[in-house]
Amino acid sequence: MKTEKNVVAAPVQYFPLDRLYLSDMNPRQDADAERIDLLADSIIACGLIQNLAGLADADGRIAIVAGGRRLRALIRAFEKQPDLLDRRPELAEIPVRIAPDDATARAWANVENAVREALNPADEIRAFAKMRDAGADVPTIAKTFATSEAAIYRRLALSDLPAPVLAALKAGKITLNIAKAFTVANDPDLALEVLAEVEGNPHASEHRVKARLQPEAVKLTDRRAAFVGLDAYTAAGGEVTRDLFEENGTYLQNPDLLDRLFAEKLEDAATAIEAEGWKWIEVIPESYVSYNIIEKLTRLYKVEVELTEEQAERYDELAELYQADALDEEGGAELEALQELAEGDYTDEQRQHAGAYVYVNSSGMVDASRGYVRPEDHAAAVEAKILTGFAASSGHAGSADDTPKSPYNAALVEDMRRARLHAVQAALLAKPELALDLLAFGLSAQSGHDSVFNIRPDRANITPEKANGLTPEPRLSGDGEHHRWLDDEERLTAFTDFQAEGKKARNAALTEGLARTLPYPMQKSALFDHIEASTGADLRQVWTPTAEGFFKRVNADYLDSLMLDLTGCNPTRNGFKSWKAMKKSAKADALEKLFTDPDYQKAWHIDVEKKARIDAWRPGCI
């Protein structure tokens, strides 16, 4: 055993652990217990690699000014393994560099903690991979580096990234989160192309990188995937890619197969609902039944059942608890059962004259919207007294002359077109390759007489006259700057400055410029619809219907029909009768709250399915 030396003369001395304590000078007075435990495991596995630094006090004890975490870990290591000296005899005395005075000790304390630098993630990845390739298992690597096994697994998942990606991470050209996004890449050439786009870009998005690397894949969270199920998809030969850094980060690589399985399973579900005895069943591929589909149909409602006095009292009791957010799961199920009982059911006679739409909702669950009478069946339903009163008089016979007047005026239609175009242009910003493809196609003879873009500085108007509810995309603003006049010298300087910004800046500007020149078609356009679908554009991402922007601009009958459709309420009950008696302006304000106010939604018993219907609703005028 080494003997203790004079603390003043020797730069490094050796002391028993019980003579060391944490100095008040040490900045790290608090330490994470879990990290200390991991460091203790590292010391047990590898020994103490780095000396401590301290200052001798008047009692001959050593106050540790730098290395407080190592000191705590040493103490914890002996707690975990009392016989540690049998394995690590060198830890009988701990090497400590001794400061000659207080000033030096204080400088050491500040400098060590100030200059300490964590290992670069790229170096960590390479180091962990080398140990793994040399035969070390994950627990051994974790102990060696004083980190958790979960952290090792996450780093090792990055070890197979292309070398240029790791090099970009090492050089600080991409963040660790962007590097993680590259683990979903299946195409090496595409990975390098995407890397060139995001290197040095501080605004690079992990989500967009994954979207670029998996352009055709469908996430497991997609309603189609949730409905079909991963097991059924893989059993049919479907391929998947898993993202280890994202919960539910599974990508289905065969969208055509998924669509086929989705259609087949939905048809099976429709067959089951058809067995209920409906006159017709129609499958809807979307996640909801739009107002455009049902606006000319007449809705039937279930025949209600009168609750017993005891059931009615229990219903009121449970409803009161629900309003107070005090209803447990069992009570919720009981309330739902009583509601279903009170709502009643459709009669066999109703089913003989009406049909149902079958669809998969946004949660991936099969659903059906039942009880619709088509115009051609309206007269027979009236004759059979299935439709009576207002429903009998307001139905559509289906003749060409019976087309109802549109509830949308020209100004409202134009505003909705602008908002929809805003959504498509905003989505196109994230699809530079699609924008370039469209540019090349539009400039070629293959595109025919009509152009794809207005290839000139003019920009389509994407701001509604009444912009209430519009959340504009910032990159689509700045119209004033675009039309600023430049003299010849200014124009040359502007061009050379633009060139100096590089290819990525050029591509971004080109994508933005192309997106802004995309016009709204004068008539229905399959190509515009394809662009909208390919970009994932969604009107509701940039626009929310408001009273001023939409609801006050349509007639009261439209508002009544929309309220019935969105809430699913019974028009013969008091709730809707009260609604019906409201003034049009009050109805418009109330519908805005139905879209934006959780408390108002709760008052109308808007459940998950109805909320999804509200979130997915779009006006029929576009």
Side-chain angles (χ1 to χ4, degrees):
M1 184 178 294
K2 297 179 177 65
T3 58
E4 189 174 321
K5 300 180 181 179
N6 186 286
V7 297
V8 177
V12 175
Q13 302 249 350
Y14 292 83
F15 301 90
L17 184 59
D18 59 7
R19 288 186 57 185
L20 310 181
Y21 66 94
L22 188 65
S23 170
D24 291 340
M25 297 182 189
N26 194 302
R28 296 179 183 268
Q29 293 296 313
D30 298 313
D32 181 84
E34 184 178 352
R35 297 293 298 173
I36 294 300
D37 210 55
L38 292 170
L39 185 53
D41 288 340
S42 177
I43 290 174
I44 292 170
C46 305
L48 183 65
I49 299 174
Q50 185 178 0
N51 298 332
L52 301 122
L55 178 68
D57 63 18
D59 298 325
R61 300 181 68 211
I62 307 301
I64 300 302
V65 298
R69 291 180 67 252
R70 276 164 278 151
L71 176 61
R72 293 183 180 91
L74 281 163
I75 295 171
R76 180 62 183 136
F78 279 100
E79 290 174 351
K80 297 179 76 170
Q81 290 197 12
D83 59 349
L84 181 58
L85 288 180
D86 294 339
R87 180 177 178 183
R88 296 284 173 197
E90 73 275 12
L91 296 180
E93 291 187 325
I94 310 302
V96 182
R97 184 182 178 195
I98 300 299
D101 50 48
D102 283 3
T104 303
R106 195 173 301 279
W108 287 355
N110 292 330
V111 168
E112 181 186 272
N113 287 280
V115 302
R116 177 175 294 168
E117 184 177 349
L119 195 63
N120 183 280
D123 293 331
E124 271 190 344
I125 294 165
R126 293 188 178 107
F128 297 168
K130 284 181 180 178
M131 285 195 67
R132 177 200 60 191
D133 296 342
D137 58 14
V138 168
T140 299
I141 301 172
K143 289 178 181 178
T144 301
F145 286 90
T147 190
S148 67
E149 292 183 18
I152 300 298
Y153 278 115
R154 287 194 293 268
R155 288 293 190 264
L156 288 177
L158 298 169
S159 62
D160 294 326
L161 285 174
V165 175
L166 284 177
L169 176 62
K170 170 70 174 176
K173 294 180 179 179
I174 61 172
T175 66
L176 181 58
N177 283 338
I178 295 297
K180 290 176 181 177
F182 280 88
T183 59
V184 305
N186 293 326
D187 183 341
D189 292 335
L190 178 59
L192 295 180
E193 180 181 321
V194 175
L195 178 63
E197 295 171 3
V198 299
E199 276 187 312
N201 180 3
H203 304 295
S205 160
E206 181 181 356
H207 171 75
R208 289 181 178 176
V209 169
K210 290 179 181 179
R212 285 278 288 114
L213 293 170
Q214 294 282 341
E216 303 297 330
V218 177
K219 289 198 68 174
L220 187 59
T221 51
D222 185 278
R223 69 184 182 94
R224 294 169 295 166
F227 178 58
V228 171
L230 186 59
D231 291 342
Y233 169 78
T234 54
E239 300 176 349
V240 300
T241 297
R242 301 185 188 278
D243 183 353
L244 300 178
F245 297 94
E246 181 183 354
E247 188 176 358
N248 298 322
T250 299
Y251 293 83
L252 283 60
Q253 299 295 327
N254 308 107
D256 291 341
L257 172 63
L258 177 64
D259 286 340
R260 177 173 66 80
L261 296 174
F262 177 83
E264 291 173 355
K265 188 172 181 179
L266 186 53
E267 285 293 341
D268 291 341
T271 300
I273 293 173
E274 186 177 18
E276 296 175 6
W278 297 102
K279 181 174 183 179
W280 54 266
I281 295 289
E282 184 173 335
V283 171
I284 301 295
E286 289 79 19
S287 62
Y288 65 100
V289 183
S290 76
Y291 181 75
N292 287 341
I293 294 176
I294 63 174
E295 63 178 338
K296 293 184 180 181
L297 307 186
T298 305
R299 182 79 179 269
L300 297 179
Y301 293 91
K302 297 176 181 179
V303 176
E304 296 181 21
V305 173
E306 192 73 28
L307 296 178
T308 66
E309 185 176 344
E310 182 181 352
Q311 288 172 327
E313 289 179 359
R314 180 58 175 163
Y315 178 89
D316 291 341
E317 179 185 340
L318 292 170
E320 201 171 307
L321 290 171
Y322 173 80
Q323 292 293 337
D325 286 329
L327 193 62
D328 59 19
E329 186 175 347
E330 183 178 348
E334 185 181 356
L335 177 61
E336 186 175 346
L338 286 171
Q339 286 175 332
E340 289 182 0
L341 180 62
E343 288 172 1
D345 199 1
Y346 295 99
T347 66
D348 291 340
E349 291 78 12
Q350 286 176 315
R351 292 187 177 96
Q352 290 170 11
H353 293 83
Y357 293 101
V358 183
Y359 58 96
V360 173
N361 62 31
S362 58
S363 300
M365 303 295 292
V366 67
D367 211 336
S369 189
R370 300 171 171 86
Y372 290 99
V373 178
R374 286 174 167 167
E376 59 266 31
D377 299 323
H378 188 269
V382 171
E383 185 178 350
K385 297 185 178 181
I386 299 301
L387 292 175
T388 59
F390 174 78
S393 62
S394 62
H396 300 285
S399 67
D401 296 329
D402 196 30
T403 302
K405 181 180 178 181
S406 173
Y408 313 109
N409 60 50
L412 176 58
V413 171
E414 178 60 26
D415 272 2
M416 291 301 94
R417 287 176 174 175
R418 291 179 182 182
R420 183 188 179 195
L421 181 58
H422 196 124
V424 176
Q425 287 189 0
L428 194 57
L429 293 175
K431 301 283 185 178
E433 294 302 316
L434 176 61
L436 291 173
D437 288 343
L438 289 167
L439 174 62
F441 173 71
L443 295 176
S444 72
Q446 295 169 275
S447 63
H449 178 72
D450 294 331
S451 63
V452 178
F453 294 102
N454 294 327
I455 307 299
R456 55 182 181 270
D458 294 345
R459 298 184 174 192
N461 193 337
I462 58 173
T463 303
E465 290 293 330
K466 294 191 177 182
N468 305 70
L470 183 72
T471 305
E473 159 62 55
R475 289 173 294 174
L476 295 178
S477 60
D479 291 340
E481 295 180 7
H482 185 78
H483 295 289
R484 187 168 66 89
W485 288 98
L486 301 174
D487 62 29
D488 191 53
E489 288 298 323
E490 288 176 326
R491 194 174 187 82
L492 176 58
T493 301
F495 176 66
T496 55
D497 289 345
F498 179 82
Q499 282 185 307
E501 291 180 9
K503 180 179 178 180
K504 281 180 282 192
R506 181 209 66 189
N507 289 348
L510 181 59
T511 302
E512 179 184 332
L514 288 174
R516 288 294 271 119
T517 62
L518 181 69
Y520 199 92
M522 298 300 294
Q523 57 190 5
K524 183 170 177 57
S525 166
L527 178 59
F528 185 85
D529 292 344
H530 176 74
I531 295 171
E532 184 176 33
S534 298
T535 58
D538 184 352
L539 171 67
R540 291 295 302 279
Q541 288 181 350
V542 301
W543 176 80
T544 299
T546 63
E548 292 299 325
F550 186 85
F551 297 123
K552 289 183 179 179
R553 304 168 73 184
V554 294
N555 60 43
D557 288 339
Y558 179 91
L559 298 181
D560 293 343
S561 298
L562 182 58
M563 190 67 175
L564 284 172
D565 178 45
L566 295 177
T567 63
C569 65
N570 191 325
T572 65
R573 300 292 290 269
N574 290 335
F576 187 75
K577 287 180 180 178
S578 299
W579 160 274
K580 189 78 174 172
M582 294 166 59
K583 293 182 178 180
K584 178 187 170 183
S585 60
K587 291 179 181 180
D589 291 335
L591 269 168
E592 178 177 332
K593 290 197 292 184
L594 187 68
F595 276 76
T596 60
D597 187 342
D599 290 334
Y600 192 76
Q601 292 173 351
K602 186 175 180 180
W604 279 90
H605 303 291
I606 301 300
D607 55 20
V608 174
E609 176 196 343
K610 293 174 183 176
K611 180 65 166 60
R613 186 184 306 168
I614 290 171
D615 292 342
W617 179 85
R618 285 113 180 96
C621 57
I622 56 172

